[in-house]
PDB file of all heavy atoms in Angstrom:
ATOM      1  N   VAL A   1      50.261 -36.129 -24.934  1.00  0.00           N
ATOM      2  CA  VAL A   1      49.205 -37.003 -25.452  1.00  0.00           C
ATOM      3  C   VAL A   1      49.761 -38.011 -26.449  1.00  0.00           C
ATOM      4  O   VAL A   1      49.406 -39.190 -26.417  1.00  0.00           O
ATOM      5  CB  VAL A   1      48.095 -36.165 -26.129  1.00  0.00           C
ATOM      6  CG1 VAL A   1      46.933 -37.063 -26.546  1.00  0.00           C
ATOM      7  CG2 VAL A   1      47.616 -35.067 -25.204  1.00  0.00           C
ATOM      8  N   ILE A   2      50.622 -37.542 -27.344  1.00  0.00           N
ATOM      9  CA  ILE A   2      51.223 -38.398 -28.372  1.00  0.00           C
ATOM     10  C   ILE A   2      52.733 -38.182 -28.339  1.00  0.00           C
ATOM     11  O   ILE A   2      53.197 -37.046 -28.220  1.00  0.00           O
ATOM     12  CB  ILE A   2      50.678 -38.060 -29.774  1.00  0.00           C
ATOM     13  CG1 ILE A   2      49.145 -38.196 -29.811  1.00  0.00           C
ATOM     14  CG2 ILE A   2      51.305 -38.968 -30.836  1.00  0.00           C
ATOM     15  CD1 ILE A   2      48.523 -37.713 -31.111  1.00  0.00           C
ATOM     16  N   GLU A   3      53.484 -39.270 -28.457  1.00  0.00           N
ATOM     17  CA  GLU A   3      54.939 -39.145 -28.437  1.00  0.00           C
ATOM     18  C   GLU A   3      55.568 -40.223 -29.324  1.00  0.00           C
ATOM     19  O   GLU A   3      55.252 -41.412 -29.207  1.00  0.00           O
ATOM     20  CB  GLU A   3      55.459 -39.274 -27.005  1.00  0.00           C
ATOM     21  CG  GLU A   3      56.931 -38.925 -26.852  1.00  0.00           C
ATOM     22  CD  GLU A   3      57.349 -38.818 -25.401  1.00  0.00           C
ATOM     23  OE1 GLU A   3      56.780 -39.560 -24.566  1.00  0.00           O
ATOM     24  OE2 GLU A   3      58.215 -37.986 -25.083  1.00  0.00           O
ATOM     25  N   ASN A   4      56.423 -39.772 -30.236  1.00  0.00           N
ATOM     26  CA  ASN A   4      57.169 -40.684 -31.112  1.00  0.00           C
ATOM     27  C   ASN A   4      56.254 -41.666 -31.841  1.00  0.00           C
ATOM     28  O   ASN A   4      56.456 -42.889 -31.818  1.00  0.00           O
ATOM     29  CB  ASN A   4      58.218 -41.460 -30.310  1.00  0.00           C
ATOM     30  CG  ASN A   4      59.253 -40.539 -29.692  1.00  0.00           C
ATOM     31  OD1 ASN A   4      59.619 -39.527 -30.276  1.00  0.00           O
ATOM     32  ND2 ASN A   4      59.713 -40.875 -28.497  1.00  0.00           N
ATOM     33  N   LEU A   5      55.248 -41.109 -32.486  1.00  0.00           N
ATOM     34  CA  LEU A   5      54.305 -41.915 -33.269  1.00  0.00           C
ATOM     35  C   LEU A   5      54.642 -41.769 -34.743  1.00  0.00           C
ATOM     36  O   LEU A   5      54.641 -40.661 -35.283  1.00  0.00           O
ATOM     37  CB  LEU A   5      52.867 -41.459 -33.015  1.00  0.00           C
ATOM     38  CG  LEU A   5      51.789 -42.161 -33.837  1.00  0.00           C
ATOM     39  CD1 LEU A   5      51.710 -43.643 -33.474  1.00  0.00           C
ATOM     40  CD2 LEU A   5      50.432 -41.494 -33.629  1.00  0.00           C
ATOM     41  N   LYS A   6      54.928 -42.904 -35.376  1.00  0.00           N
ATOM     42  CA  LYS A   6      55.327 -42.853 -36.778  1.00  0.00           C
ATOM     43  C   LYS A   6      54.753 -44.046 -37.529  1.00  0.00           C
ATOM     44  O   LYS A   6      54.893 -45.190 -37.089  1.00  0.00           O
ATOM     45  CB  LYS A   6      56.855 -42.856 -36.887  1.00  0.00           C
ATOM     46  CG  LYS A   6      57.383 -42.776 -38.321  1.00  0.00           C
ATOM     47  CD  LYS A   6      58.900 -42.894 -38.369  1.00  0.00           C
ATOM     48  CE  LYS A   6      59.570 -41.709 -37.695  1.00  0.00           C
ATOM     49  NZ  LYS A   6      61.053 -41.727 -37.905  1.00  0.00           N
ATOM     50  N   PHE A   7      54.097 -43.771 -38.656  1.00  0.00           N
ATOM     51  CA  PHE A   7      53.664 -44.836 -39.556  1.00  0.00           C
ATOM     52  C   PHE A   7      53.313 -44.222 -40.902  1.00  0.00           C
ATOM     53  O   PHE A   7      53.163 -43.003 -41.033  1.00  0.00           O
ATOM     54  CB  PHE A   7      52.478 -45.630 -38.992  1.00  0.00           C
ATOM     55  CG  PHE A   7      51.202 -44.854 -38.796  1.00  0.00           C
ATOM     56  CD1 PHE A   7      50.253 -44.749 -39.811  1.00  0.00           C
ATOM     57  CD2 PHE A   7      50.926 -44.235 -37.582  1.00  0.00           C
ATOM     58  CE1 PHE A   7      49.069 -44.059 -39.623  1.00  0.00           C
ATOM     59  CE2 PHE A   7      49.745 -43.534 -37.381  1.00  0.00           C
ATOM     60  CZ  PHE A   7      48.815 -43.440 -38.406  1.00  0.00           C
ATOM     61  N   SER A   8      53.203 -45.080 -41.903  1.00  0.00           N
ATOM     62  CA  SER A   8      52.866 -44.630 -43.251  1.00  0.00           C
ATOM     63  C   SER A   8      51.606 -45.327 -43.727  1.00  0.00           C
ATOM     64  O   SER A   8      51.260 -46.424 -43.263  1.00  0.00           O
ATOM     65  CB  SER A   8      54.015 -44.934 -44.225  1.00  0.00           C
ATOM     66  OG  SER A   8      55.175 -44.219 -43.875  1.00  0.00           O
ATOM     67  N   LEU A   9      50.936 -44.690 -44.651  1.00  0.00           N
ATOM     68  CA  LEU A   9      49.707 -45.223 -45.233  1.00  0.00           C
ATOM     69  C   LEU A   9      49.904 -45.296 -46.740  1.00  0.00           C
ATOM     70  O   LEU A   9      50.337 -44.317 -47.356  1.00  0.00           O
ATOM     71  CB  LEU A   9      48.541 -44.297 -44.894  1.00  0.00           C
ATOM     72  CG  LEU A   9      47.119 -44.822 -45.103  1.00  0.00           C
ATOM     73  CD1 LEU A   9      46.840 -45.948 -44.124  1.00  0.00           C
ATOM     74  CD2 LEU A   9      46.111 -43.696 -44.885  1.00  0.00           C
ATOM     75  N   THR A  10      49.641 -46.453 -47.327  1.00  0.00           N
ATOM     76  CA  THR A  10      49.795 -46.583 -48.769  1.00  0.00           C
ATOM     77  C   THR A  10      48.495 -46.220 -49.482  1.00  0.00           C
ATOM     78  O   THR A  10      47.419 -46.194 -48.878  1.00  0.00           O
ATOM     79  CB  THR A  10      50.212 -48.013 -49.165  1.00  0.00           C
ATOM     80  OG1 THR A  10      49.234 -48.942 -48.692  1.00  0.00           O
ATOM     81  CG2 THR A  10      51.563 -48.359 -48.568  1.00  0.00           C
ATOM     82  N   THR A  11      48.596 -45.954 -50.755  1.00  0.00           N
ATOM     83  CA  THR A  11      47.455 -45.519 -51.543  1.00  0.00           C
ATOM     84  C   THR A  11      46.342 -46.566 -51.520  1.00  0.00           C
ATOM     85  O   THR A  11      46.590 -47.760 -51.722  1.00  0.00           O
ATOM     86  CB  THR A  11      47.888 -45.252 -52.994  1.00  0.00           C
ATOM     87  OG1 THR A  11      48.920 -44.272 -52.993  1.00  0.00           O
ATOM     88  CG2 THR A  11      46.725 -44.751 -53.825  1.00  0.00           C
ATOM     89  N   ASN A  12      45.129 -46.105 -51.257  1.00  0.00           N
ATOM     90  CA  ASN A  12      43.912 -46.925 -51.275  1.00  0.00           C
ATOM     91  C   ASN A  12      43.891 -48.007 -50.189  1.00  0.00           C
ATOM     92  O   ASN A  12      43.170 -48.999 -50.308  1.00  0.00           O
ATOM     93  CB  ASN A  12      43.699 -47.569 -52.648  1.00  0.00           C
ATOM     94  CG  ASN A  12      43.567 -46.546 -53.753  1.00  0.00           C
ATOM     95  OD1 ASN A  12      43.202 -45.398 -53.509  1.00  0.00           O
ATOM     96  ND2 ASN A  12      43.870 -46.946 -54.976  1.00  0.00           N
ATOM     97  N   GLN A  13      44.656 -47.805 -49.132  1.00  0.00           N
ATOM     98  CA  GLN A  13      44.695 -48.770 -48.032  1.00  0.00           C
ATOM     99  C   GLN A  13      43.709 -48.374 -46.941  1.00  0.00           C
ATOM    100  O   GLN A  13      43.565 -47.198 -46.611  1.00  0.00           O
ATOM    101  CB  GLN A  13      46.105 -48.843 -47.456  1.00  0.00           C
ATOM    102  CG  GLN A  13      46.328 -49.990 -46.489  1.00  0.00           C
ATOM    103  CD  GLN A  13      47.779 -50.099 -46.073  1.00  0.00           C
ATOM    104  OE1 GLN A  13      48.386 -49.130 -45.636  1.00  0.00           O
ATOM    105  NE2 GLN A  13      48.350 -51.286 -46.209  1.00  0.00           N
ATOM    106  N   PHE A  14      43.021 -49.374 -46.382  1.00  0.00           N
ATOM    107  CA  PHE A  14      42.052 -49.159 -45.303  1.00  0.00           C
ATOM    108  C   PHE A  14      42.736 -49.562 -43.995  1.00  0.00           C
ATOM    109  O   PHE A  14      43.043 -50.733 -43.783  1.00  0.00           O
ATOM    110  CB  PHE A  14      40.804 -50.020 -45.531  1.00  0.00           C
ATOM    111  CG  PHE A  14      39.574 -49.527 -44.805  1.00  0.00           C
ATOM    112  CD1 PHE A  14      38.416 -49.259 -45.508  1.00  0.00           C
ATOM    113  CD2 PHE A  14      39.577 -49.339 -43.427  1.00  0.00           C
ATOM    114  CE1 PHE A  14      37.272 -48.804 -44.856  1.00  0.00           C
ATOM    115  CE2 PHE A  14      38.450 -48.885 -42.765  1.00  0.00           C
ATOM    116  CZ  PHE A  14      37.288 -48.625 -43.484  1.00  0.00           C
ATOM    117  N   VAL A  15      42.983 -48.581 -43.133  1.00  0.00           N
ATOM    118  CA  VAL A  15      43.706 -48.806 -41.881  1.00  0.00           C
ATOM    119  C   VAL A  15      42.816 -48.448 -40.698  1.00  0.00           C
ATOM    120  O   VAL A  15      42.238 -47.356 -40.649  1.00  0.00           O
ATOM    121  CB  VAL A  15      45.007 -47.978 -41.841  1.00  0.00           C
ATOM    122  CG1 VAL A  15      45.679 -48.111 -40.480  1.00  0.00           C
ATOM    123  CG2 VAL A  15      45.953 -48.422 -42.951  1.00  0.00           C
ATOM    124  N   CYS A  16      42.697 -49.368 -39.745  1.00  0.00           N
ATOM    125  CA  CYS A  16      41.939 -49.112 -38.528  1.00  0.00           C
ATOM    126  C   CYS A  16      42.885 -48.875 -37.362  1.00  0.00           C
ATOM    127  O   CYS A  16      43.912 -49.551 -37.219  1.00  0.00           O
ATOM    128  CB  CYS A  16      41.017 -50.282 -38.206  1.00  0.00           C
ATOM    129  SG  CYS A  16      39.475 -50.306 -39.146  1.00  0.00           S
ATOM    130  N   LEU A  17      42.539 -47.907 -36.525  1.00  0.00           N
ATOM    131  CA  LEU A  17      43.299 -47.570 -35.321  1.00  0.00           C
ATOM    132  C   LEU A  17      42.512 -48.034 -34.107  1.00  0.00           C
ATOM    133  O   LEU A  17      41.339 -47.693 -33.951  1.00  0.00           O
ATOM    134  CB  LEU A  17      43.519 -46.059 -35.233  1.00  0.00           C
ATOM    135  CG  LEU A  17      44.129 -45.367 -36.454  1.00  0.00           C
ATOM    136  CD1 LEU A  17      44.107 -43.855 -36.259  1.00  0.00           C
ATOM    137  CD2 LEU A  17      45.540 -45.847 -36.697  1.00  0.00           C
ATOM    138  N   VAL A  18      43.164 -48.822 -33.243  1.00  0.00           N
ATOM    139  CA  VAL A  18      42.520 -49.254 -32.003  1.00  0.00           C
ATOM    140  C   VAL A  18      43.469 -48.973 -30.844  1.00  0.00           C
ATOM    141  O   VAL A  18      44.689 -48.965 -30.995  1.00  0.00           O
ATOM    142  CB  VAL A  18      42.165 -50.761 -32.029  1.00  0.00           C
ATOM    143  CG1 VAL A  18      41.167 -51.068 -33.130  1.00  0.00           C
ATOM    144  CG2 VAL A  18      43.405 -51.626 -32.181  1.00  0.00           C
ATOM    145  N   GLY A  19      42.869 -48.713 -29.690  1.00  0.00           N
ATOM    146  CA  GLY A  19      43.673 -48.421 -28.505  1.00  0.00           C
ATOM    147  C   GLY A  19      42.773 -48.041 -27.356  1.00  0.00           C
ATOM    148  O   GLY A  19      41.555 -47.888 -27.519  1.00  0.00           O
ATOM    149  N   PRO A  20      43.325 -47.853 -26.162  1.00  0.00           N
ATOM    150  CA  PRO A  20      42.527 -47.545 -24.976  1.00  0.00           C
ATOM    151  C   PRO A  20      41.741 -46.237 -25.133  1.00  0.00           C
ATOM    152  O   PRO A  20      42.164 -45.323 -25.839  1.00  0.00           O
ATOM    153  CB  PRO A  20      43.582 -47.401 -23.865  1.00  0.00           C
ATOM    154  CG  PRO A  20      44.789 -48.107 -24.387  1.00  0.00           C
ATOM    155  CD  PRO A  20      44.764 -47.938 -25.869  1.00  0.00           C
ATOM    156  N   SER A  21      40.614 -46.166 -24.472  1.00  0.00           N
ATOM    157  CA  SER A  21      39.818 -44.934 -24.475  1.00  0.00           C
ATOM    158  C   SER A  21      40.646 -43.792 -23.903  1.00  0.00           C
ATOM    159  O   SER A  21      41.338 -43.952 -22.892  1.00  0.00           O
ATOM    160  CB  SER A  21      38.551 -45.115 -23.628  1.00  0.00           C
ATOM    161  OG  SER A  21      37.717 -46.097 -24.184  1.00  0.00           O
ATOM    162  N   GLY A  22      40.592 -42.642 -24.556  1.00  0.00           N
ATOM    163  CA  GLY A  22      41.297 -41.467 -24.078  1.00  0.00           C
ATOM    164  C   GLY A  22      42.774 -41.429 -24.379  1.00  0.00           C
ATOM    165  O   GLY A  22      43.484 -40.548 -23.880  1.00  0.00           O
ATOM    166  N   CYS A  23      43.257 -42.348 -25.224  1.00  0.00           N
ATOM    167  CA  CYS A  23      44.706 -42.376 -25.466  1.00  0.00           C
ATOM    168  C   CYS A  23      45.151 -41.315 -26.470  1.00  0.00           C
ATOM    169  O   CYS A  23      46.343 -41.013 -26.564  1.00  0.00           O
ATOM    170  CB  CYS A  23      45.143 -43.763 -25.940  1.00  0.00           C
ATOM    171  SG  CYS A  23      44.614 -44.225 -27.595  1.00  0.00           S
ATOM    172  N   GLY A  24      44.217 -40.753 -27.243  1.00  0.00           N
ATOM    173  CA  GLY A  24      44.589 -39.692 -28.175  1.00  0.00           C
ATOM    174  C   GLY A  24      44.272 -39.975 -29.631  1.00  0.00           C
ATOM    175  O   GLY A  24      44.770 -39.284 -30.530  1.00  0.00           O
ATOM    176  N   LYS A  25      43.407 -40.940 -29.904  1.00  0.00           N
ATOM    177  CA  LYS A  25      43.099 -41.306 -31.295  1.00  0.00           C
ATOM    178  C   LYS A  25      42.397 -40.174 -32.038  1.00  0.00           C
ATOM    179  O   LYS A  25      42.734 -39.871 -33.191  1.00  0.00           O
ATOM    180  CB  LYS A  25      42.239 -42.577 -31.324  1.00  0.00           C
ATOM    181  CG  LYS A  25      42.946 -43.809 -30.752  1.00  0.00           C
ATOM    182  CD  LYS A  25      42.111 -45.063 -30.874  1.00  0.00           C
ATOM    183  CE  LYS A  25      40.864 -45.047 -30.036  1.00  0.00           C
ATOM    184  NZ  LYS A  25      41.117 -44.989 -28.582  1.00  0.00           N
ATOM    185  N   THR A  26      41.421 -39.534 -31.384  1.00  0.00           N
ATOM    186  CA  THR A  26      40.730 -38.418 -32.030  1.00  0.00           C
ATOM    187  C   THR A  26      41.686 -37.249 -32.241  1.00  0.00           C
ATOM    188  O   THR A  26      41.644 -36.580 -33.278  1.00  0.00           O
ATOM    189  CB  THR A  26      39.524 -37.971 -31.185  1.00  0.00           C
ATOM    190  OG1 THR A  26      38.570 -39.045 -31.129  1.00  0.00           O
ATOM    191  CG2 THR A  26      38.856 -36.747 -31.797  1.00  0.00           C
ATOM    192  N   THR A  27      42.569 -37.013 -31.280  1.00  0.00           N
ATOM    193  CA  THR A  27      43.585 -35.969 -31.441  1.00  0.00           C
ATOM    194  C   THR A  27      44.451 -36.251 -32.658  1.00  0.00           C
ATOM    195  O   THR A  27      44.759 -35.348 -33.446  1.00  0.00           O
ATOM    196  CB  THR A  27      44.466 -35.892 -30.176  1.00  0.00           C
ATOM    197  OG1 THR A  27      43.645 -35.554 -29.054  1.00  0.00           O
ATOM    198  CG2 THR A  27      45.555 -34.836 -30.336  1.00  0.00           C
ATOM    199  N   LEU A  28      44.844 -37.506 -32.840  1.00  0.00           N
ATOM    200  CA  LEU A  28      45.637 -37.891 -34.005  1.00  0.00           C
ATOM    201  C   LEU A  28      44.895 -37.593 -35.300  1.00  0.00           C
ATOM    202  O   LEU A  28      45.465 -37.019 -36.237  1.00  0.00           O
ATOM    203  CB  LEU A  28      45.978 -39.379 -33.927  1.00  0.00           C
ATOM    204  CG  LEU A  28      46.601 -39.995 -35.184  1.00  0.00           C
ATOM    205  CD1 LEU A  28      47.925 -39.322 -35.522  1.00  0.00           C
ATOM    206  CD2 LEU A  28      46.783 -41.498 -34.998  1.00  0.00           C
TER     207      LEU A  28
END
């Protein structure tokens, strides 16, 4: 479902995730 996914989130940052339906966003 997920492979080699890497990113960082800074303090108080608002980040939106977009991608195809069923790609694994809820799993993430």
Side-chain angles (χ1 to χ4, degrees):
V1 186
I2 303 173
E3 190 170 33
N4 298 325
L5 176 65
K6 181 185 294 188
F7 64 89
S8 296
L9 195 67
T10 58
T11 302
N12 300 336
Q13 191 174 52
F14 201 124
V15 174
C16 280
L17 307 173
V18 298
S21 296
C23 70
K25 297 184 294 296
T26 296
T27 299
L28 170 61

